Amino acid sequence: MKDTKIRIFEYKNQARTFVNKLKTEGYLVGFVPTMGCLHKGHLSLIEASKNQTDRTIVSIYVNPTQFGPNEDFDQYPRTFEQDLAQCERLGVDAIFVPSDQEIYPQGKQSLFTIHPPEQYIDKMCGACRPGHFEGVATVVNKLLNILPADKVFMGQKDAQQLFIIKKMVEDLELTTDIVSCPTLREPDGLAYSSRNNNLDPFSREIAPALFQILTFIKSEYLAGRTDFKIILKKVDKDFVEIFKHISLEYLVAYDYDNLHQVNILKSNTLVAIAAKIGKVRLIDNVILD
Ligand code: AMP
């Protein structure tokens, strides 16, 4: 019979032993890596894991090495008690909640790191956040070694991250399956994000514009208008009021197979946006069918 009490692991060895034991007992293990402050987007990944595997483990770790020196590491919301209650409610089997000391016992000075190929990180969030994807790839690699799950559930919301992790798993012959899950949104289209909690009321009102812009581009494409430069000119015109209130970092189109630039929109094009709204940096994307 299934043990219904959630386990909380702070130490790598406990978590690794738990996953390995489940696997030897024949269970299919799902893993959902997160930075906590769980919202409906995270919960949808947990539900996907519950549907597709026998046991689900969630990690909650705000990884310092993926934040730049002037980024929001200190302001990143931390809500462990609520996260725990949500995981219990959904029937998660275990949570891995390590300290920095546990993940980086030697500090960050002499750490072996994963450096993704330049062509994957010289654009979008990689270009805006130097060192970010080295931090992400390194910590995900560590987490996959600590928790050798059969399937790992990750969100399309962080499209460049998902792309890089899939390539890393393929190139480094890791034996887990990365399962991509669709972006969950508020009723007004704003993608759920832990950072939405830090939006002031005016910024929260403006924030759904990111998805409106992406939806506009998608509708142009579906109507047969595929020249991205021409579409961007229309975006500038139609969203002129919005652009007065947000600081656009990028609005770009890349082939989602290889992250090559796309000038003429086609199937499997990633259209991605990042902007600072008030003090909060948000990202979103769509993939064209
Ligand atoms: P984070 O806690 O922001 O590191 O996110 C943990 C996982 O949740 C990542 O795989 C994200 O892509 C995924 N995620 C974040 N927001 C959403 C969302 N709105 N819908 C679906 N997945 C999401």
Side-chain angles (χ1 to χ4, degrees):
M1 213 183 73
K2 188 169 184 247
D3 183 356
T4 52
K5 195 165 169 2
I6 195 163
R7 322 258 172 135
I8 303 173
F9 300 123
E10 290 174 40
Y11 302 106
K12 293 181 276 206
N13 285 346
Q14 299 170 316
R16 186 184 278 122
T17 305
F18 179 73
V19 171
N20 281 331
K21 182 161 174 284
L22 288 174
K23 286 174 72 176
T24 35
E25 286 168 356
Y27 294 111
L28 199 65
V29 179
F31 170 36
V32 183
T34 81
M35 297 205 297
C37 190
L38 301 184
H39 50 64
K40 287 190 180 159
H42 295 118
L43 304 188
S44 72
L45 306 189
I46 294 172
E47 264 154 14
S49 175
K50 301 252 335 157
N51 288 335
Q52 294 180 41
T53 69
D54 304 313
R55 297 288 185 269
T56 294
I57 181 158
V58 173
S59 67
I60 298 181
Y61 180 58
V62 184
N63 171 41
T65 64
Q66 70 191 67
F67 288 80
N70 299 317
E71 293 185 356
D72 59 349
F73 177 70
D74 290 332
Q75 288 81 42
Y76 200 85
R78 289 157 172 90
T79 57
F80 181 69
E81 291 307 319
Q82 280 152 262
D83 294 349
L84 174 60
Q86 305 249 48
C87 287
E88 274 178 326
R89 189 174 56 79
L90 287 187
V92 166
D93 296 282
I95 298 184
F96 178 49
V97 49
S99 63
D100 289 341
Q101 169 66 23
E102 189 65 6
I103 296 294
Y104 300 109
Q106 324 286 349
K108 291 176 256 164
Q109 288 305 321
S110 58
L111 180 71
F112 273 87
T113 52
I114 305 277
H115 191 102
E118 210 52 46
Q119 77 246 37
Y120 300 154
I121 58 171
D122 63 358
K123 48 183 66 86
M124 297 185 276
C125 294
C128 301
R129 306 183 65 186
H132 173 66
F133 286 117
E134 284 87 337
V136 168
T138 303
V139 81
V140 172
N141 199 288
K142 273 172 162 286
L143 289 171
L144 296 185
N145 285 320
I146 297 166
L147 305 167
D150 299 290
K151 289 174 184 264
V152 175
F153 295 81
M154 300 186 75
Q156 192 61 63
K157 154 91 174 10
D158 297 275
Q160 192 175 10
Q161 167 175 286
L162 179 62
F163 177 92
I164 288 170
I165 298 302
K166 277 189 171 169
K167 293 283 184 200
M168 177 182 80
V169 164
E170 214 176 286
D171 283 0
L172 300 184
E173 314 288 350
L174 305 186
T175 54
T176 193
D177 264 356
I178 303 292
V179 181
S180 42
C181 302
T183 302
L184 246 81
R185 303 174 178 285
E186 301 261 15
D188 62 9
L190 176 63
Y192 285 106
S193 162
S194 308
R195 292 188 167 94
N196 292 353
N197 287 3
N198 293 344
L199 288 165
D200 63 72
F202 179 70
S203 301
R204 174 63 189 81
E205 238 174 76
I206 301 280
L210 299 192
F211 186 55
Q212 285 159 14
I213 291 169
L214 295 171
T215 306
F216 174 80
I217 293 171
K218 188 171 176 177
S219 67
E220 288 289 295
Y221 165 73
L222 291 175
R225 293 183 282 276
T226 55
D227 188 318
F228 191 52
K229 273 202 185 120
I230 295 178
I231 297 174
L232 285 182
K233 283 199 181 121
K234 283 192 194 172
V235 169
D236 278 344
K237 208 163 127 255
D238 286 16
F239 292 87
V240 65
E241 279 308 308
I242 293 294
F243 286 123
K244 289 181 188 160
H245 300 293
I246 72 176
S247 162
L248 187 68
E249 263 181 23
Y250 60 74
L251 176 53
V252 289
Y254 290 105
D255 185 326
Y256 201 40
D257 272 339
N258 47 32
L259 297 192
H260 290 169
Q261 194 174 325
V262 165
N263 298 319
I264 301 299
L265 300 181
K266 56 183 178 151
S267 163
N268 203 34
T269 297
L270 167 71
V271 183
I273 190 166
K276 228 166 170 197
I277 308 184
K279 291 195 171 85
V280 182
R281 181 179 182 276
L282 295 180
I283 60 172
D284 201 353
N285 69 80
V286 291
I287 292 173
L288 304 178
D289 310 317

